[in-house]
Amino acid sequence: MTSVLSSTRFSVLDRSRVREGHDAPEALRDTVRLAQDVEELGFHRFWVSEHHGVPGVAGSAPTVLAAAVAAATRTIRVGTGGVMLPNHRPLVVAEQFGVLESLFPGRVDMGLGRSVGFTDGVRRALGRDKDAADTDDFAAQLDELLGWFLGTSPTGVHARPPEGLSVPPFVLAMGEGASIAARAGLPMVIGDLRARDRMLHGIERYRAEFRPSVWAAEPYVVVSGTVAVAATPEEAHRILLPEARAMAYSRTHGTFPPLAPAEEIERRTMTAKERGFYESGLTGHVFGTEEQVAHELESVLKETGAQEVLVTTSTYDRAALLDSYRRLARIAGLGSTS
């Protein structure tokens, strides 16, 4: 463990990935159990995501799932990575986080993104179109949302219970998201680790444009991506296979499937196009033995100057996933709460 790693916060985002042979309710229960496990390992935050109409993802209601996670844990911060603001009215989002903060004071984070539905059908069901993710619209929605906590709504309505509460907001930066986070004076979550040059450009832009606010006096950068740690490089690489195959399938079939076991993936045939996406999906991640991953993470942190790493790894083998987090906790010098 180096001083760079020991001075960095490490957190977890779990997407409640459905696995072949298992159903969506089990995936949600897996998420809650994983939160309990990583809390014991000493991770700083545990976040959940928002996806709609995706066969391979069970997490469609992140604030509801965050409540279940918070109720099942004791000390770890709990939040969303993120609530997709274009899908919701800002008042409703503020009310949901106000309730969470009231029930679990001092433990709730409000991660916010601007993605819309994965398919045209989902967007129609949500009453949104692709333009709902427009940068200016998102910035306005974000400003309105934060206003409900500060009591500055132009309508004269007072949001209960969020008004007067302090729930730390984070912006999930994609494209223009870095500038939005900077102008609003908010912490920024940026990924992924595979697109290092793009990540560095976004971080530089964020720091250059940052304006202090009541939410953050100075820039705060969270870098996110897949990290897999195992006893051997080969075992760590196998952790990556299920997600890479699911991504390749989605790119060639238009739907994101449940995760398959690594051994099944190795036996399955793929078209040349699917194989290309699959091989591409395996590159650029941080994986390997504890020594290898520690070295790579130290390089990432020195390059980015990030204060926090949000690990977003998904895989079929839950035991291998937990072992990876256990090894990562050891690399980072995290203290167990048990």
Side-chain angles (χ1 to χ4, degrees):
M1 179 185 61
T2 68
S3 60
V4 174
L5 292 173
S6 63
S7 63
T8 301
R9 289 170 168 167
F10 281 81
S11 301
V12 173
L13 167 66
D14 191 70
R15 293 191 174 90
S16 304
R17 297 289 278 107
V18 180
R19 298 177 292 156
E20 288 187 0
H22 304 264
D23 59 16
E26 184 176 357
L28 295 172
R29 294 191 292 269
D30 284 344
T31 291
V32 176
R33 280 192 292 268
L34 182 62
Q36 294 171 320
D37 290 332
V38 300
E39 177 180 63
E40 291 300 316
L41 292 172
F43 284 84
H44 184 62
R45 312 179 201 276
F46 188 91
W47 283 4
V48 297
S49 62
E50 175 180 342
H51 296 274
H52 299 282
V54 181
V57 184
S60 56
T63 53
V64 176
L65 184 53
V69 168
T73 54
R74 296 173 289 116
T75 58
I76 196 168
R77 295 196 65 85
V78 176
T80 57
V83 165
M84 296 301 134
L85 203 47
N87 294 337
H88 312 277
R89 292 300 307 166
L91 171 61
V92 175
V93 175
E95 289 172 336
Q96 291 172 348
F97 279 99
V99 170
L100 283 172
E101 175 63 20
S102 300
L103 294 174
F104 309 100
R107 292 181 56 204
V108 176
D109 299 321
M110 184 167 57
L112 305 162
R114 64 186 183 98
S115 296
V116 292
F118 187 64
T119 65
D120 288 339
V122 169
R123 288 189 287 271
R124 286 196 300 271
L126 292 170
R128 299 292 185 267
D129 55 34
K130 290 182 179 180
D131 293 337
D134 178 83
T135 299
D136 291 338
D137 288 347
F138 178 72
Q141 290 170 326
L142 183 62
D143 184 63
E144 180 185 340
L145 171 61
L146 298 179
W148 290 114
F149 290 91
L150 300 173
T152 58
S153 167
T155 68
V157 174
H158 295 274
R160 309 294 184 200
E163 187 172 313
L165 297 180
S166 180
V167 181
F170 295 74
V171 172
L172 277 60
M174 297 179 64
E176 294 297 316
S179 290
I180 293 172
R183 289 193 295 267
L186 301 180
M188 176 184 71
V189 182
I190 188 165
D192 64 29
L193 294 172
R194 301 189 329 158
R196 202 71 54 85
D197 289 342
R198 182 181 178 189
M199 173 185 283
L200 289 171
H201 177 73
I203 291 171
E204 290 170 3
R205 184 175 185 178
Y206 167 69
R207 290 196 176 114
E209 299 178 10
F210 185 84
R211 302 173 186 171
S213 71
V214 298
W215 305 101
E218 57 188 24
Y220 188 90
V221 175
V222 183
V223 293
S224 67
T226 295
V227 179
V229 199
T232 67
E234 293 76 20
E235 290 176 61
H237 188 258
R238 283 173 62 82
I239 292 174
L240 307 177
L241 302 187
E243 186 74 7
R245 184 264 172 182
M247 289 296 296
Y249 189 91
S250 73
R251 297 289 296 276
T252 52
H253 293 76
T255 185
F256 203 79
L259 298 177
E263 57 271 19
E264 286 292 323
I265 293 169
E266 291 172 327
R267 289 196 293 263
R268 290 178 182 176
T269 58
M270 300 182 194
T271 65
K273 186 176 182 180
E274 189 175 357
R275 174 66 63 178
F277 285 126
Y278 173 69
E279 296 292 347
S280 175
L282 290 170
T283 62
H285 300 295
V286 176
F287 74 96
T289 64
E290 290 177 41
E291 182 179 2
Q292 291 170 324
V293 169
H295 176 75
E296 181 64 19
L297 284 175
E298 184 173 7
S299 297
V300 169
L301 292 169
K302 287 180 177 178
E303 277 187 293
T304 62
Q307 290 96 334
E308 187 169 342
V309 177
L310 180 67
V311 182
T312 63
T313 309
S314 296
T315 195
Y316 180 91
D317 188 336
R318 302 297 291 187
L321 181 63
L322 180 56
D323 181 64
S324 177
Y325 281 125
R326 187 177 293 114
R327 292 173 183 275
L328 178 58
R330 190 156 54 231
I331 292 168
L334 305 184
S336 172
T337 62
S338 59

